[in-house]
């Protein structure tokens, strides 16, 4: 049985914060941010939005695009590092209630910015063994609530939003996708957010723990990881990166994607780019980009694409697929 992406959706909160806006409260400027990251603006959730509400809006759009009713969804996976609650209940359970997916199991998956690729692989395998069943896979983040807005070396990178896909049995037969999932916990200190059980709490110890980033180390890892994932997938399939139609890499920094393109000797045009107006939305970045490309009519049947991400953990992962087959 073949499995495919049946529909996509996304949601970006309406409030836009530009680099110039940031420069009013931070020692930074548009020239520095744009030349070092490719980012000009990002969407930031207002009080009435949070990770589950944005995930539900993206999920609803994906269900509508797929022509699938909430009752037909058997599984919801939300990839996120910024859940509504610190640990439980899962954001996926809140999405399940918001969308009225009465027959669905639901859980969160935490693989940071690579989370959507991990999640779509789980949904693909689940849909293969549960004939006719459909899964809703969402990447959603409210990073604006965990970054340190005084740290110009990290806060300028991030934005909020959500992207979603519905996965289910394909209408006809199609080629199977291939995925690689990797991790390297030796780099755990490169990007993290405290507040878990790692440290025994002391009185007054935690205000709200914020994201800590060693930008140089993550940058170097990201370039190696994205190139390795894409090269190995192509090798595994006996093809070359040059035969790819499009690469949907995690939208972290335009200079990372530039460096990956150079390392792989691929024209930059093969890489989908939207980070100029979204910033880094972590696990949401790949499904937001995918939905944008679908809605612009840029993805045609049988196009060869790679989805690849990297993030805290460290994690890195990629899926090679012929659109829309998984
Ligand atoms: O999803 C995964 C998440 N993480 C990432 O993807 C992060 C990957 N890393 C990066 O994107 C880059 O390392 C950054 C954009 C975070 C930083 O860029 P960089 O080219 O590595 O800059 P840097 O940290 O080497 O800083 C260079 C200079 C420093 O000043 P001095 O010491 O040379 O005087 C910084 O203090 O730029 C300064 N700087 C800034 N200046 C203006 C750092 N941030 C800013 C800023 N505005 N926002």
């Amino acid at each position: 049985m073949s499995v495919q992406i049946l529909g996509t959706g996304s949601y970006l909160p309406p409030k836009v914060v530009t680099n110039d806006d940031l420069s009013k409260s931070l020692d930074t400027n548009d020239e520095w941010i744009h030349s070092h990251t490719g980012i000009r603006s990002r969407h930031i959730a207002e009080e009435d939005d949070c990770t589950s509400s944005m995930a539900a809006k993206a999920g609803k759009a994906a269900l509508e695009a797929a022509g699938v009713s909430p009752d037909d969804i058997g599984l919801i996976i939300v990839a996120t590092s910024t859940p509504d609650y610190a640990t439980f209940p899962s954001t996926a359970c809140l999405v399940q209630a918001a969308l009225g997916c009465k027959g669905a199991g639901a859980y969160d998956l935490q693989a940071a910015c690579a989370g959507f690729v991990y999640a779509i692989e789980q949904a693909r395998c689940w849909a293969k063994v549960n004939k006719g069943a459909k899964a809703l896979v969402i990447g959603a983040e409210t990073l604006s609530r965990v970054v340190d807005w005084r740290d110009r070396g990290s806060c300028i990178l991030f934005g909020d939003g959500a992207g979603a896909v519905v996965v289910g049995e394909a209408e006809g037969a199609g080629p199977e996708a291939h995925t690689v999932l990797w991790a390297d916990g030796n780099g755990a200190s490169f990007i993290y957010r405290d507040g878990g059980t790692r440290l025994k709490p002391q009185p007054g110890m935690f205000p709200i723990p914020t994201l800590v980033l060693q930008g140089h180390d993550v940058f170097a890892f990201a370039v190696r990881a994205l190139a390795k994932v894409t090269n190995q997938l192509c090798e595994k399939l006996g093809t070359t990166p040059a035969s790819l139609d499009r690469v949907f890499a995690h939208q972290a920094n335009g200079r990372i994607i530039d460096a990956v393109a150079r390392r792989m000797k691929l024209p930059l045009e093969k890489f989908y780019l939207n980070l100029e107006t979204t910033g880094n939305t972590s696990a949401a970045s790949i499904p937001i980009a995918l939905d944008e490309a679908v809605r612009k009519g840029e993805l045609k049947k049988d196009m060869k694409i790679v989805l690849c991400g990297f993030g805290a953990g460290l994690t890195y992962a990629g899926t090679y697929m012929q659109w829309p087959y998984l």
Side-chain angles (χ1 to χ4, degrees), residues 28 32 36 113 152-153 213 215-216 218 250 252-253 255 280 310:
T28 190
W32 192 97
H36 283 73
C113 308
R152 66 177 185 173
L213 171 70
H216 277 279
V218 176
H250 169 44
N253 181 327
R255 279 167 53 222
N280 176 349
F310 67 91

Side-chain angles (χ1 to χ4, degrees), residues 234-259:
C234 290
E235 235 170 67
K236 201 167 153 182
L237 291 158
T239 184
T240 59
S243 70
L244 292 172
D245 295 301
R246 217 77 165 106
V247 180
F248 289 85
H250 169 44
Q251 307 285 303
N253 181 327
R255 279 167 53 222
I256 292 176
I257 295 179
D258 256 349

Side-chain angles (χ1 to χ4, degrees), residues 22-295:
L22 290 181
S23 71
K24 290 175 191 150
S25 54
L26 208 57
D27 181 15
T28 190
N29 55 71
D30 178 60
E31 198 285 320
W32 192 97
I33 300 176
H34 191 255
S35 62
H36 283 73
T37 69
I39 298 164
R40 286 247 188 246
S41 62
R42 69 288 291 143
H43 294 256
I44 299 291
E46 295 201 80
E47 267 174 32
D48 56 348
D49 257 327
C50 57
T51 300
S52 69
S53 69
M54 294 190 289
K57 286 169 197 162
K60 185 167 184 280
L63 289 174
E64 282 166 7
V68 167
S69 127
D71 289 336
D72 293 332
I73 293 296
L75 179 67
I76 300 173
I77 310 176
V78 176
T80 186
S81 302
T82 49
D84 282 19
Y85 290 85
T87 44
F88 50 81
S90 71
T91 301
C93 283
L94 305 175
V95 171
Q96 182 265 339
L99 293 178
C101 298
K102 294 188 196 79
Y107 62 93
D108 287 357
L109 184 151
Q110 211 286 77
C113 308
F116 182 77
V117 179
Y118 273 68
I120 207 168
E121 175 64 0
Q122 293 195 349
R124 184 183 81 82
C125 296
W126 177 84
K128 287 253 175 209
V129 294
N130 290 282
K131 195 169 160 36
K134 294 177 180 63
L136 179 60
V137 184
I138 305 174
E141 304 281 10
T142 318
L143 289 148
S144 64
R145 300 207 181 131
V146 303
V147 295
D148 180 348
W149 285 105
R150 298 161 305 180
D151 176 14
R152 66 177 185 173
S154 61
C155 73
I156 50 106
L157 292 169
F158 297 101
D160 301 333
V165 301
V166 178
V167 173
E169 189 170 347
E171 280 151 24
E176 188 155 0
H178 288 267
T179 296
V180 289
L181 305 178
W182 281 311
D184 179 5
N186 291 312
S189 63
F190 291 1
I191 175 167
Y192 67 91
R193 181 184 174 226
D194 250 319
T197 54
R198 188 175 77 92
L199 304 172
K200 189 169 172 220
Q202 306 292 329
M205 180 173 163
F206 296 124
I208 296 173
T210 48
L211 181 150
V212 179
L213 171 70
Q214 290 181 29
H216 277 279
D217 294 321
V218 176
F219 194 109
F221 158 73
V223 176
R224 286 195 307 273
L226 293 178
K228 178 178 163 189
V229 157
T230 310
N231 281 330
Q232 291 223 352
L233 280 166
C234 290
E235 235 170 67
K236 201 167 153 182
L237 291 158
T239 184
T240 59
S243 70
L244 292 172
D245 295 301
R246 217 77 165 106
V247 180
F248 289 85
H250 169 44
Q251 307 285 303
N253 181 327
R255 279 167 53 222
I256 292 176
I257 295 179
D258 256 349
V260 174
R262 275 200 309 277
R263 184 179 269 238
M264 297 185 65
K265 300 186 175 55
L266 286 179
L268 189 58
E269 294 68 46
K270 293 228 178 197
F271 290 78
Y272 193 88
L273 281 173
N274 68 352
L275 57 82
E276 187 167 29
T277 55
T278 61
N280 176 349
T281 57
S282 189
S285 91
I286 294 173
I288 290 172
L290 205 53
D291 182 51
E292 250 187 44
V294 168
R295 283 172 201 269

